[in-house]
Amino acid sequence: MLLRKITLEEFGAYRGTQSLDLTTKKNKPIVLIGGLNGCGKTTLLDAIQLALFGPRARCSGRGGKSYETYLRESINRQADPTRGAQIVLEFTVTVDGTEHYYKVVRSWHTSGKTTLKEFVNAFVDEEYGSRAKSGRRVEPELKYSRVLSQEWADHIESLLPLEVASLSFFDGEKIESLADPERAASVIESAIHSLLGVSTVQQLRTDLLALQRRQKLSDEEQHLMDKIRAEEQEQQTADAALENAEQQAAQRNSELGKARRALETLEAAYKQEGGNLFERRVEIEREHAEISARLAEIRSSLIQLAAGPLPLLLMGSHLKELRTQAGRERTAAESHQVLGVLEERDQWLLDMLPAEAKTAVMGKLEVDRAKRAKSAGLKVNLGLSPDTIPQLSALDEALSRDQARAVELLQQAAEAADERVQLERQLAGVPAKSKVEAIQKEREDQLQEVARLEREYESNLNSVDELKRRLAYVSASLQRAHEEFVRTKVKAEEVERIIKYSEKARKTLDQFGDALLKRHISRLEVAMLTSFQTLMRKQGLVTDLRIDTDKFTLTLADTDGDPIDPGRLSAGERQLLAVSLLWGLMKVAGNHLPSVIDTPLGRLDSRHREHLVDRYFPYASDQVLLLSTDEEIDEYLLGRLKKSVANTYTLVHDDTTFTTSVIEGYWWNVGASNVA
């Protein structure tokens, strides 16, 4: 950060408009501003802080006044309070490698006796650095920014924190406080924390802790989340159990397959050895007995049939001839009986006929009776009974029935005989018990093993099915819970994630803060000791300097390593120690801030003043605004400092109007007229 220009308008003792070009040059970092006591040096320092920080500025002239009162009293007494006062400060800041040019205008005026209005307008040229790369001085192209104007307090805090500015802009009072060992500790602690970034780390930790505490779910949301987590745990448990059950089922199935293949091998061997027949031996014997009894029964039935008319089937032709003879004899008997009846009928007919017709009819009737008499005569007459033919018919029926029954029995007898032969063959093939006993035992054991594995495999499958149903139920329940409370879950996960990572970040920041503090204190000890030895006239007085990391107290040591009581130091030496602290802080911070030093040489002797002029001011920072009296930087010291001075101004106070004006040059450069 480099201050470019400040313009005061009716501010404090500064009447009208007064401007100071604060631009420095290469190897000329000092802007020397001279002024006697009460001429406005401290007011100028206050103006810089007021323009930047407004009500937060630590202006020395404010004291315990309210901000509004301070502003009201800061309007020049001779100015119209309704037009008010204004401070315009221009400066450049390098942000992300690019130099930005800012112009902030803070103005205020009164309206009535009680009303005061303040305005802050910010202008910025974000491309200034790209145009000024060549080193040429270019005019900024400033543009008004409403956002920056409205949020200037936050923006300037990001560019130059107030705590840091208080160490960069210091006056004699600050030097005095640092020179007091008891008061210096708090200043050192504040400086290290603010200027060297440790406070940023602590603020981050505090912000993270606050963020953690803000993360909270309602009781209902927490209950729902507990339920979801419980179901998620149950789902994981069920999923793991299912995976285990499936593995066990797969393992059991593999074992079962091996057992079955072993059983098949034993079965084949057992079969090959006649094991099946051995097992069926009793059954085959029983079947053999049954079929033998059956065969005997059939044969008995056949014998009974043979004892009946069945053998007459062997005399079939004779029975046929007997049937024919019986028919002939029955016909002859019937014809003999008809001839007697016909002879009476013919006589009755002839008696009824006329005589002329009798002869012809009588002849025909005689021919008919002759023909019938011929059929009634037989060459062979066995004298068979008229019931012979019915008896023969009954015999035929009996023979036909017995023949069918005999055929059926013969068929059954043949089949039974064949079956018995087969059974006898099987019985003949049944092995001896000793031959199949061992393999039968092994086979039975294997059967039991297969049965055991089948039961276990089935149990595993049942477990898998049960776990699948359980997992499906839990998953469905969880899915419904997720769908119902997805926002709660997202919030809870976000809360958990934030708390988890915040805790990690806080621990990391703790470690980083401790490491950063030790590193900075170590560097600060070296830089401060080097600065102090550079400025001190007594080079060998202090050879070591330590800063306690807990209490931030300074400990000085002599060449023997013995501690030096700060009370032994003179007031000037303590002032140099305070300057060394500020210089060391700027060195460690990188000299990127301007140093505004008000009344720096109050209690120093001539040698120490020379040391500050020669060894500190030209190197204190890239820009040093030196506010001095004519006794602090006198003509002699001005000559030693001149080569490092870019601009000089003198604040001239009119004791009659009580106003201050700014003129270029320092007393001895602008002539006696500027010297009060």
Side-chain angles (χ1 to χ4, degrees):
M1 184 179 190
L2 293 175
L3 302 175
R4 296 289 182 171
K5 184 178 181 181
I6 186 170
T7 301
L8 310 177
E9 184 176 341
E10 309 294 0
F11 180 70
Y14 291 87
R15 182 74 172 99
T17 302
Q18 308 289 333
S19 296
L20 291 87
D21 182 2
L22 306 179
T23 306
T24 58
K25 301 176 183 177
K26 186 177 182 180
N27 297 325
K28 291 180 178 294
I30 298 175
V31 176
L32 179 60
I33 303 171
L36 298 179
N37 295 331
C39 285
K41 297 190 298 299
T42 303
T43 302
L44 183 61
L45 177 59
D46 288 347
I48 296 174
Q49 299 183 74
L50 181 61
L52 293 174
F53 300 105
R56 299 173 60 237
R58 296 172 180 174
C59 301
S60 61
R62 180 175 173 180
K65 302 173 185 174
S66 68
Y67 181 59
E68 184 175 333
T69 300
Y70 173 68
L71 289 182
R72 189 187 297 277
E73 294 180 356
S74 295
I75 301 173
N76 186 272
R77 295 177 180 178
Q78 299 182 26
D80 181 1
T82 59
R83 297 187 60 182
Q86 175 175 279
I87 304 171
V88 181
L89 181 64
E90 300 176 33
F91 61 90
T92 57
V93 174
T94 300
V95 179
D96 296 332
T98 301
E99 188 177 25
H100 296 185
Y101 198 108
Y102 287 89
K103 176 181 177 182
V104 56
V105 180
R106 187 178 296 273
S107 61
W108 62 95
H109 65 268
T110 61
S111 177
K113 294 184 179 179
T114 58
T115 303
L116 184 141
K117 295 182 179 179
E118 182 189 22
F119 304 91
V120 177
N121 294 307
F123 303 81
V124 62
D125 179 2
E126 296 182 347
E127 305 298 329
Y128 178 78
S130 60
R131 297 196 307 278
K133 276 185 176 178
S134 60
R136 294 182 292 107
R137 183 169 184 175
V138 296
E139 291 298 324
E141 297 176 1
L142 295 166
K143 296 179 181 179
Y144 172 71
S145 173
R146 180 184 298 274
V147 174
L148 279 183
S149 300
Q150 294 175 345
E151 301 177 357
W152 178 255
D154 294 333
H155 189 69
I156 190 60
E157 188 66 21
S158 66
L159 297 177
L160 178 63
L162 178 61
E163 293 295 332
V164 175
S166 67
L167 297 170
S168 180
F169 306 156
F170 57 92
D171 54 13
E173 184 179 353
K174 174 73 70 178
I175 296 295
E176 287 295 330
S177 65
L178 289 174
D180 184 349
E182 295 182 356
R183 297 172 60 187
S186 61
V187 178
I188 292 172
E189 180 180 3
S190 175
I192 291 174
H193 282 87
S194 59
L195 185 61
L196 304 182
V198 178
S199 61
T200 303
V201 176
Q202 292 180 341
Q203 185 61 45
L204 284 173
R205 291 180 59 253
T206 302
D207 292 345
L208 285 172
L209 183 60
L211 178 64
Q212 285 182 240
R213 291 173 176 171
R214 287 198 300 270
Q215 307 306 314
K216 184 179 180 182
L217 295 175
S218 68
D219 292 341
E220 182 179 0
E221 290 171 335
Q222 188 61 51
H223 173 71
L224 297 176
M225 286 313 307
D226 292 342
K227 177 183 177 183
I228 289 175
R229 289 194 179 96
E231 291 186 344
E232 287 178 338
Q233 182 63 36
E234 186 177 359
Q235 184 187 42
Q236 292 176 359
T237 303
D239 194 45
L242 175 61
E243 183 179 357
N244 184 50
E246 288 177 339
Q247 291 177 353
Q248 289 183 353
Q251 177 66 23
R252 201 68 66 233
N253 188 37
S254 175
E255 294 174 357
L256 179 59
K258 293 179 180 178
R260 283 174 173 170
R261 287 191 292 274
L263 179 60
E264 289 175 356
T265 302
L266 290 173
E267 291 280 10
Y270 186 68
K271 183 177 181 180
Q272 186 176 4
E273 293 294 336
N276 293 337
L277 292 176
F278 180 79
E279 288 182 348
R280 292 187 64 240
R281 179 176 57 80
V282 175
E283 180 181 359
I284 294 172
E285 289 176 348
R286 179 182 56 78
E287 290 178 355
H288 181 267
E290 290 177 352
I291 200 64
S292 296
R294 175 62 180 161
L295 184 58
E297 182 180 354
I298 293 172
R299 286 176 177 175
S300 175
S301 297
L302 285 172
I303 292 173
Q304 290 178 359
L305 283 176
L310 188 59
L312 292 176
L313 286 177
L314 300 175
M315 300 175 66
S317 57
H318 298 291
L319 290 175
K320 185 177 180 180
E321 290 176 357
L322 180 60
R323 180 183 300 277
T324 302
Q325 182 62 32
R328 288 173 183 168
E329 291 185 1
R330 188 176 66 178
T331 301
E334 288 174 351
S335 297
H336 182 73
Q337 292 176 353
V338 170
L339 283 175
V341 176
L342 286 177
E343 186 175 3
E344 293 178 357
R345 188 200 63 183
D346 292 346
Q347 187 60 45
W348 178 75
L349 284 175
L350 288 172
D351 293 342
M352 293 179 63
L353 288 175
E356 62 270 14
K358 288 184 178 180
T359 306
V361 174
M362 184 181 298
K364 291 182 181 181
L365 290 176
E366 289 177 352
V367 172
D368 178 67
R369 287 196 303 272
K371 183 178 179 180
R372 291 183 179 272
K374 186 177 180 181
S375 61
L378 293 175
K379 294 180 179 178
V380 178
N381 191 348
L382 298 179
L384 297 177
S385 171
D387 297 329
T388 302
I389 292 178
Q391 291 176 350
L392 288 175
S393 297
L395 179 60
D396 288 343
E397 290 178 3
L399 289 175
S400 177
R401 183 176 61 252
D402 289 349
Q403 184 180 14
R405 177 59 180 166
V407 170
E408 180 183 0
L409 292 173
L410 288 172
Q411 179 65 30
Q412 291 178 356
E415 292 175 354
D418 291 341
E419 187 174 355
R420 189 174 67 171
V421 169
Q422 293 298 329
L423 293 172
E424 288 173 348
R425 288 177 178 172
Q426 290 179 2
L427 288 173
V430 173
K433 182 178 180 180
S434 59
K435 189 174 182 181
V436 298
E437 187 174 20
I439 193 170
Q440 184 184 30
K441 178 67 169 56
E442 187 175 358
R443 173 177 165 272
E444 289 175 353
D445 293 343
Q446 191 62 27
L447 278 171
Q448 293 178 357
E449 176 66 10
V450 170
R452 181 185 68 79
L453 291 174
E454 285 177 343
R455 290 194 299 273
E456 292 182 358
Y457 180 56
E458 185 178 1
S459 176
N460 292 147
L461 292 180
N462 291 335
S463 297
V464 169
D465 292 340
E466 177 63 27
L467 287 171
K468 283 183 177 178
R469 287 192 293 272
R470 177 185 170 194
L471 186 59
Y473 174 79
V474 174
S475 298
S477 176
L478 188 59
Q479 179 64 27
R480 289 193 297 273
H482 281 170
E483 291 174 355
E484 185 178 359
F485 306 114
V486 60
R487 291 184 180 178
T488 302
K489 188 172 187 301
V490 169
K491 180 180 177 181
E493 291 177 347
E494 182 67 14
V495 168
E496 185 177 357
R497 188 182 66 80
I498 289 174
I499 292 176
K500 177 181 177 182
Y501 286 102
S502 294
E503 191 64 29
K504 287 185 177 179
R506 285 202 307 117
K507 291 180 180 177
T508 303
L509 286 173
D510 280 341
Q511 298 172 354
F512 176 71
D514 292 340
L516 185 66
L517 181 63
K518 292 178 181 177
R519 179 172 179 268
H520 282 330
I521 285 182
S522 177
R523 293 175 60 196
L524 180 59
E525 289 172 343
V526 174
M528 187 175 174
L529 178 61
T530 303
S531 300
F532 189 58
Q533 290 176 337
T534 301
L535 299 177
M536 278 288 288
R537 173 167 44 83
K538 303 173 184 177
Q539 293 293 315
L541 177 62
V542 177
T543 58
D544 194 15
L545 184 151
R546 297 294 176 185
I547 300 175
D548 187 275
T549 55
D550 296 325
K551 300 178 180 178
F552 298 96
T553 53
L554 285 174
T555 301
L556 306 177
D558 58 19
T559 54
D560 297 328
D562 297 328
I564 300 175
D565 182 2
R568 290 174 51 196
L569 300 177
S570 67
E573 289 170 339
R574 290 200 299 272
Q575 185 173 344
L576 288 180
L577 183 62
V579 172
S580 299
L581 171 60
L582 295 172
W583 194 9
L585 286 170
M586 289 299 111
K587 287 180 179 178
V588 175
N591 286 342
H592 63 284
L593 297 176
S595 291
V596 182
I597 308 171
D598 182 15
T599 315
L601 307 177
R603 297 187 177 184
L604 302 181
D605 59 29
S606 59
R607 289 286 303 277
H608 284 152
R609 290 188 178 192
E610 288 178 2
H611 284 180
L612 245 65
V613 168
D614 294 338
R615 302 174 183 179
Y616 173 56
F617 295 145
Y619 309 104
S621 179
D622 292 336
Q623 183 183 42
V624 179
L625 269 62
L626 197 56
L627 304 171
S628 171
T629 65
D630 59 338
E631 290 185 353
E632 289 177 308
I633 304 296
D634 57 16
E635 188 174 10
Y636 169 71
L637 293 179
L638 177 63
R640 298 177 72 102
L641 191 64
K642 188 174 182 180
K643 61 182 178 180
S644 300
V645 175
N647 292 306
T648 57
Y649 295 96
T650 301
L651 308 179
V652 180
H653 187 72
D654 187 334
D655 293 337
T656 59
T657 59
F658 301 104
T659 59
T660 297
S661 58
V662 179
I663 62 174
E664 295 185 359
Y666 200 68
W667 281 283
W668 296 275
N669 293 337
V670 295
S673 59
N674 292 326
V675 177

